[in-house]
Amino acid sequence: MKVNVQAVNFNVDKKLVVFIEDKLSKLEKYFDKIISADVYLRTENTSDKENKTAEIKVYVPGDSFLIKKTCKTFEEAVDSSEQSLERMLVKYKEKIRAHA
């Protein structure tokens, strides 16, 4: 699976990119036909401590899933997004199996 990481208005460090690729590669356990994933990282301009937003779009044949989470750190946002995507992919796979 190809993972594209884009940071809005800042440079993303290598450790964070590796962390994101690691997390998203685990999704292939739940659905093996994932084409690619786009990850957009941005910092919101709020006084809130939770101002790191990760938006992840996962492409599968004939469909795509979008998750957007805002947390204290990008790692936390990616982690909770990954868990949500995991559930979505499992549901999607079951739906496909039901129609096959």
Side-chain angles (χ1 to χ4, degrees), residues 15-79:
K15 278 196 313 195
L16 184 57
V17 173
V18 169
F19 174 81
I20 292 169
E21 288 172 347
D22 243 23
K23 277 286 177 192
L24 294 183
S25 69
K26 291 178 183 171
L27 291 174
E28 291 184 310
K29 281 193 292 193
Y30 304 97
F31 192 75
D32 56 356
K33 293 179 178 74
I34 298 172
I35 300 165
S36 67
D38 291 335
V39 182
Y40 300 99
L41 304 173
R42 76 170 66 79
T43 307
E44 304 294 330
N45 286 337
T46 61
S47 57
D48 248 2
K49 280 190 167 79
E50 293 193 0
N51 67 344
K52 308 284 190 290
T53 301
E55 198 172 301
I56 303 175
K57 191 165 192 175
V58 175
Y59 299 93
V60 296
D63 214 342
S64 65
F65 301 101
L66 178 71
I67 283 286
K68 185 176 181 179
K69 297 278 184 185
T70 305
C71 296
K72 287 182 190 145
T73 64
F74 286 120
E75 288 85 357
E76 204 179 320
V78 168
D79 194 42

